[in-house]
Amino acid sequence: MANFLKNISKYILGYIMLRAISFLLLPIYTNVFTKEEFGIYTLIFIFIAFAQFLYSYGMDASLMKFFSISENKKEIYTSIFVSLLVTSSIFSIIISCFSDFISILFLENVNYGYLFKIAAIILFFDSFSFRVLIIHRMEDNPYKYFIFSFVNVLVTFLANYYFIIILNIGISGAFYAHLFGSISIFLLSLPIIFNRVSIQSFSLTLLKKILLFGFPFLPSVIFQMIIDFSDRRILLYLTDIDTVGIYSPGCKIASILLFLISGFRLGWEPFFLKLTKNKKIIISQISNIFLFFIFTVLLFFILFIEPIIVYSNHYFSFSIIGENFWGSIGIIPILMFGYIFLALYHLQMPPIFYYNKTSMLPFFRFVGAISNIILNFLLIPRWGIHGAAFATSLSYLIMTLPMFIYTNNFFKINYNWNLLIVYSLLSILSYYLKLYNILNIYSSLTLFFIGLSFLFFELQKTNSLIKKTNFI
């Protein structure tokens, strides 16, 4: 348990740095860009996010699965990277050739084709470096994972500052900066690839097996991306690019919780795949601790994120979010509530892997994706950006419920439901009290420490169980 927590903390920190660079850049973007410019930046990066999963076509899950069952690692690495070289080259060439058409289609008659050309290059480099990060996870190298992530973030941040603040070249500078970051981590990845790939080890038979295992994950990931990002595209369709610009900073800040969940998964999936005994006990205890932890993060943001943002310019020479974008503060807790359900969804993954039920994943996420699209069209006309946030949160709930019911039939994780329900009610109560400005700093701190006590209680319970049973 201690080793798991030690390693997972490095993965979470590395993943947060790698994915949260857009959050770290919010003070630059929202204080320099107009609402329209930030909306365009957001939508193009949504395109990149979608395309990244098409570029990988389920290879991530296959790499983890076959690494754990195969002795010939070089054969696995070679087959995967040769396949990626061919497909990534083809995909990037297609995007570059049709960049103007894609821009007009995706941005609704706004032509930023040259930015989509840069995106194609970013996608090519990332298709290799992101797989190398998975290799670090499977080979239990959290330090290398952390270093690679840190270098990427440092280069990207400095390049953004140079292109946007010093050279003042607008959103083009943001894309050039991200390209520099992608190149930096790709260059670090090259020695890892060269040391593990040998063209003589390529196996078409193995590649077919890898693709057959990984492809069922691709539709489910695409459906997940629809849940994560369709709100902004539908906002553009139903409102305008400025509304997308206002909505996006709130999404970025709320995604801090999403980064924690995704970072947890980086260590969680290799960990439970390697368990050989006491699976249910270990998985149940870690699941409870993680749920209480993210509830505590949610409660903190409910109680304190607004004053932190509003008064940040009292302590710095800038606001965390530019004042023109403060309208998005209210959607942050709404989205975070939805991410709690997403966490529960991922915590139910062990039985999916143990019993080879991956073919069910596309169905669960399809339900979430369809509900997300429908809810966005229903709620945005009525409540604007708040409707989009509610649509996203509810779709996570709708996605998770059938997954939870299905997996419980053959592998039941023992959650501390009584205390989790109490924590949920405390969070909802805090949200409404904050919404109507009933809370002051003292009552907010009181509510937060009540929530923190729930987390400490669960940690103490787990510690006592470890001493009593010595199950790890």
Side-chain angles (χ1 to χ4, degrees):
M1 173 75 78
N3 187 56
F4 169 73
L5 293 175
K6 180 181 178 181
N7 285 343
I8 198 85
S9 63
K10 297 182 183 69
Y11 287 125
I12 289 175
L13 185 56
Y15 185 88
I16 288 174
M17 288 194 305
L18 191 63
R19 293 295 185 183
I21 182 63
S22 56
F23 166 74
L24 297 175
L25 292 167
L26 273 179
I28 295 177
Y29 292 168
T30 59
N31 285 282
V32 175
F33 294 168
T34 64
K35 296 173 186 176
E36 179 182 355
E37 288 175 329
F38 193 66
I40 291 168
Y41 166 86
T42 298
L43 289 170
I44 296 178
F45 265 90
I46 287 173
F47 170 83
I48 291 175
F50 268 100
Q52 280 175 339
F53 289 102
L54 292 175
Y55 273 63
S56 69
Y57 47 90
M59 284 294 188
D60 294 0
S62 295
L63 180 54
M64 288 189 292
K65 176 69 174 181
F66 282 85
F67 181 93
S68 63
I69 63 174
S70 176
E71 294 183 0
N72 192 344
K73 311 299 184 189
K74 181 161 285 192
E75 187 180 43
I76 298 170
Y77 294 146
T78 301
S79 301
I80 287 177
F81 280 110
V82 169
S83 177
L84 286 173
L85 177 62
V86 174
T87 56
S88 298
S89 299
I90 293 171
F91 291 156
S92 289
I93 290 171
I94 292 173
I95 292 173
S96 296
C97 291
F98 295 95
S99 57
D100 290 341
F101 172 77
I102 294 171
S103 177
I104 292 172
L105 179 68
F106 203 74
L107 301 178
E108 293 198 350
N109 299 318
V110 178
N111 192 348
Y112 280 89
Y114 71 98
L115 294 182
F116 282 90
K117 285 185 171 70
I118 298 173
I121 303 172
I122 292 172
L123 286 163
F124 177 83
F125 288 130
D126 286 352
S127 65
F128 298 97
S129 54
F130 284 4
R131 305 305 77 79
V132 169
L133 291 176
I134 293 175
I135 291 174
H136 290 328
R137 290 167 54 195
M138 298 309 297
E139 294 181 353
D140 290 325
N141 287 320
Y143 288 103
K144 287 185 178 179
Y145 187 96
F146 176 83
I147 291 170
F148 276 45
S149 303
F150 178 77
V151 170
N152 177 270
V153 169
L154 182 63
V155 172
T156 304
F157 184 85
L158 292 176
N160 267 279
Y161 185 85
Y162 176 74
F163 286 122
I164 297 173
I165 302 299
I166 297 178
L167 296 185
N168 192 27
I169 61 175
I171 58 174
S172 299
F175 285 88
Y176 286 127
H178 282 281
L179 176 58
F180 272 66
S182 293
I183 292 173
S184 70
I185 196 170
F186 174 75
L187 292 176
L188 287 175
S189 300
L190 283 179
I192 308 295
I193 296 173
F194 289 149
N195 288 335
R196 288 163 177 77
V197 171
S198 171
I199 195 65
Q200 292 82 10
S201 299
F202 177 80
S203 170
L204 186 59
T205 302
L206 177 62
L207 181 60
K208 290 178 181 178
K209 293 179 181 178
I210 289 170
L211 293 175
L212 285 174
F213 179 83
F215 266 131
F217 286 88
L218 182 58
S220 64
V221 170
I222 292 174
F223 293 141
Q224 181 65 54
M225 298 298 290
I226 291 174
I227 299 172
D228 289 341
F229 298 118
S230 66
D231 50 0
R232 271 143 285 186
R233 186 60 184 80
I234 297 173
L235 267 174
L236 176 63
Y237 178 77
L238 295 176
T239 58
D240 53 43
I241 193 70
D242 283 11
T243 304
V244 177
I246 294 172
Y247 180 75
S248 298
C251 294
K252 294 293 184 185
I253 293 181
S255 65
I256 291 175
L257 190 56
L258 182 60
F259 297 149
L260 291 174
I261 294 168
S262 300
F264 172 82
R265 286 182 57 211
L266 298 182
W268 175 234
E269 290 173 357
F271 176 78
F272 71 66
L273 284 172
K274 294 176 182 177
L275 287 176
T276 57
K277 62 179 182 178
N278 297 318
K279 292 181 179 179
K280 186 170 291 189
I281 297 175
I282 297 170
I283 289 170
S284 296
Q285 290 306 122
I286 292 177
S287 297
N288 277 302
I289 290 172
F290 186 64
L291 280 176
F292 280 101
F293 170 71
I294 59 176
F295 260 114
T296 304
V297 175
L298 167 64
L299 185 61
F300 176 85
F301 274 79
I302 289 172
L303 295 171
F304 303 115
I305 190 59
E306 183 176 1
I308 288 174
I309 292 173
V310 172
Y311 296 110
S312 59
N313 60 357
H314 291 188
Y315 304 98
F316 307 103
S317 58
F318 54 86
S319 295
I320 293 176
I321 295 179
E323 190 171 350
N324 290 336
F325 297 86
W326 285 358
S328 66
I329 294 175
I331 69 169
I332 296 171
I334 300 171
L335 290 169
M336 282 187 158
F337 271 114
Y339 294 148
I340 297 289
F341 296 113
L342 178 62
L344 185 60
Y345 177 91
H346 289 304
L347 290 172
Q348 294 297 127
M349 277 296 173
I352 293 292
F353 279 85
Y354 290 156
Y355 295 90
N356 292 317
K357 302 293 185 179
T358 57
S359 59
M360 290 298 296
L361 293 177
F363 169 75
F364 299 133
R365 298 203 181 187
F366 171 77
V367 171
I370 290 298
S371 64
N372 181 269
I373 294 171
I374 294 171
L375 287 169
N376 269 298
F377 276 104
L378 289 175
L379 300 181
I380 289 174
R382 183 180 294 251
W383 293 312
I385 62 174
H386 291 83
F390 275 116
T392 299
S393 288
L394 289 173
S395 63
Y396 281 126
L397 171 61
I398 293 169
M399 177 184 75
T400 300
L401 278 177
M403 164 79 152
F404 181 82
I405 294 169
Y406 177 74
T407 54
N408 257 20
N409 289 327
F410 45 89
F411 190 96
K412 185 175 182 179
I413 299 174
N414 298 315
Y415 295 105
N416 187 350
W417 285 117
N418 291 333
L419 202 54
L420 284 171
I421 290 171
V422 172
Y423 211 157
S424 301
L425 294 174
L426 175 67
S427 300
I428 294 171
L429 174 64
S430 300
Y431 174 75
Y432 277 101
L433 292 176
K434 192 70 178 177
L435 187 65
Y436 292 103
N437 296 315
I438 296 174
L439 298 176
N440 57 33
I441 184 62
Y442 301 107
S443 54
S444 295
L445 286 170
T446 300
L447 289 170
F448 179 69
F449 281 113
I450 291 172
L452 200 59
S453 68
F454 295 158
L455 174 61
F456 283 128
F457 174 82
E458 192 61 33
L459 287 170
Q460 187 61 39
K461 177 183 172 183
T462 300
N463 188 50
S464 299
L465 184 62
I466 292 173
K467 291 180 179 178
K468 184 184 298 184
T469 62
N470 194 30
F471 65 80
I472 297 183

